[in-house]
Amino acid sequence: MVNPDPRSRLLKAAIRLLATHGPTEIKARSVSSEAGLSTMGVYTHFGGVSELLQAVAEEGFRQQADIFRQVANTQDAMTDLCAIALACRDFAMRNAHLYDLMFGLSIQGRYGPVRGESTTAPKVGADAFMASYSHLRGGCERLIKGNCVRQMEPDLMAAQLWSTLHGFILLELGGHFAATLNPPIEILVPMCINLVVGLGADRERAKASAAIAVADWASRQCDTKSMAQFLNAVNTI
């Protein structure tokens, strides 16, 4: 078995440490030790800890993009957008520290989708961010072109869905929905339905499309209760 190159070993080591200890543990010495390399390797292969954190965030977006690519594959854009929302939530739940780093929420996660001129803080490369975001934007563009919602700029619609999705995720990660049996099904999906209906979509069609995404999501988790919870939730909106 071929040993991964030093840069890959350092990146994987940083991701492991991030998952178990959070971003404050991502230091040149700890990452190098985890990777079985000298401390100098972080500076040789990345330039420093800030650049290593940037690479970790970019890897997070690549992983997220792979997940979105797997779920957003039907002929129904509304189903695909709902599937993306559920997949994004699940990714965040499994990778809370990585998610924080990707979206600039942790102390060391001062990253955004493009490089800015007003700050010296590293930024996640546009390509890494767009590899993930393009799936959401593409679904919005398909809805608009298919006259399923009113005519608007796809980027504006995607921004609204992105904001809705990540607002929910942050609240769930913070434990604000602890009293809810199934937050993604009882809160997130109905909220997304309400948003697209507000943008001009037919409510019954939106519910039907969302139900397909929920059924697929539930089947992959062997969760037989989610559909009943979803139907109960959408019948109230």
Side-chain angles (χ1 to χ4, degrees), residues 9-165:
R9 286 168 61 186
L10 288 164
L11 183 60
K12 290 178 180 178
I15 292 173
R16 288 195 300 272
L17 287 174
L18 180 66
T20 55
H21 299 292
T24 56
E25 188 60 24
I26 309 302
K27 303 168 184 173
R29 181 175 296 179
S30 58
V31 172
S32 300
S33 176
E34 176 73 15
L37 298 168
S38 69
T39 304
M40 213 40 219
V42 171
Y43 301 95
T44 301
H45 296 286
F46 294 93
V49 174
S50 292
E51 291 80 5
L52 171 60
L53 286 167
Q54 177 184 344
V56 170
E58 290 178 352
E59 176 60 24
F61 279 111
R62 281 190 285 271
Q63 291 180 15
Q64 190 180 64
D66 287 342
I67 293 170
F68 289 177
R69 191 176 300 111
Q70 293 172 26
V71 300
N73 56 9
T74 75
Q75 298 300 310
D76 185 336
M78 211 169 298
T79 295
D80 289 348
L81 287 171
C82 184
I84 285 173
L86 288 167
C88 187
R89 175 266 177 190
D90 288 349
F91 177 82
M93 294 301 114
R94 292 192 305 269
N95 305 278
H97 289 306
L98 178 58
Y99 185 87
D100 284 353
L101 188 70
M102 289 162 59
F103 291 96
L105 305 175
S106 66
I107 294 173
Q108 297 194 48
R110 298 169 295 160
Y111 306 99
V114 295
R115 185 174 297 279
E117 297 179 357
S118 60
T119 177
T120 58
K123 298 290 182 180
V124 170
D127 289 344
F129 175 78
M130 285 306 298
S132 172
Y133 188 72
S134 63
H135 293 284
L136 181 70
R137 187 194 182 283
C140 292
E141 188 171 23
R142 287 163 57 200
L143 277 184
I144 295 166
K145 286 184 176 179
N147 294 314
C148 299
V149 294
R150 62 176 172 269
Q151 295 301 300
M152 63 187 300
E153 287 296 323
D155 284 321
L156 293 178
M157 181 178 177
Q160 291 184 51
L161 286 172
W162 200 238
S163 300
T164 298
L165 172 58

Side-chain angles (χ1 to χ4, degrees), residues 166-233:
H166 294 298
F168 167 84
I169 289 173
L170 292 183
L171 289 171
E172 188 179 15
L173 283 173
H176 293 278
F177 302 133
T180 304
L181 289 175
N182 196 335
I185 299 305
E186 296 180 82
I187 299 173
L188 175 60
V189 176
M191 183 167 59
C192 290
I193 291 172
N194 281 333
L195 178 57
V196 296
V197 169
L199 294 173
D202 176 77
R203 183 173 293 277
E204 293 308 311
R205 177 179 175 183
K207 287 181 181 181
S209 295
I212 295 171
V214 169
D216 180 66
W217 179 84
S219 68
R220 283 185 280 107
Q221 301 191 50
C222 299
D223 179 358
T224 58
K225 296 181 179 179
S226 283
M227 276 306 296
Q229 291 166 344
F230 165 73
L231 293 173
N232 181 64

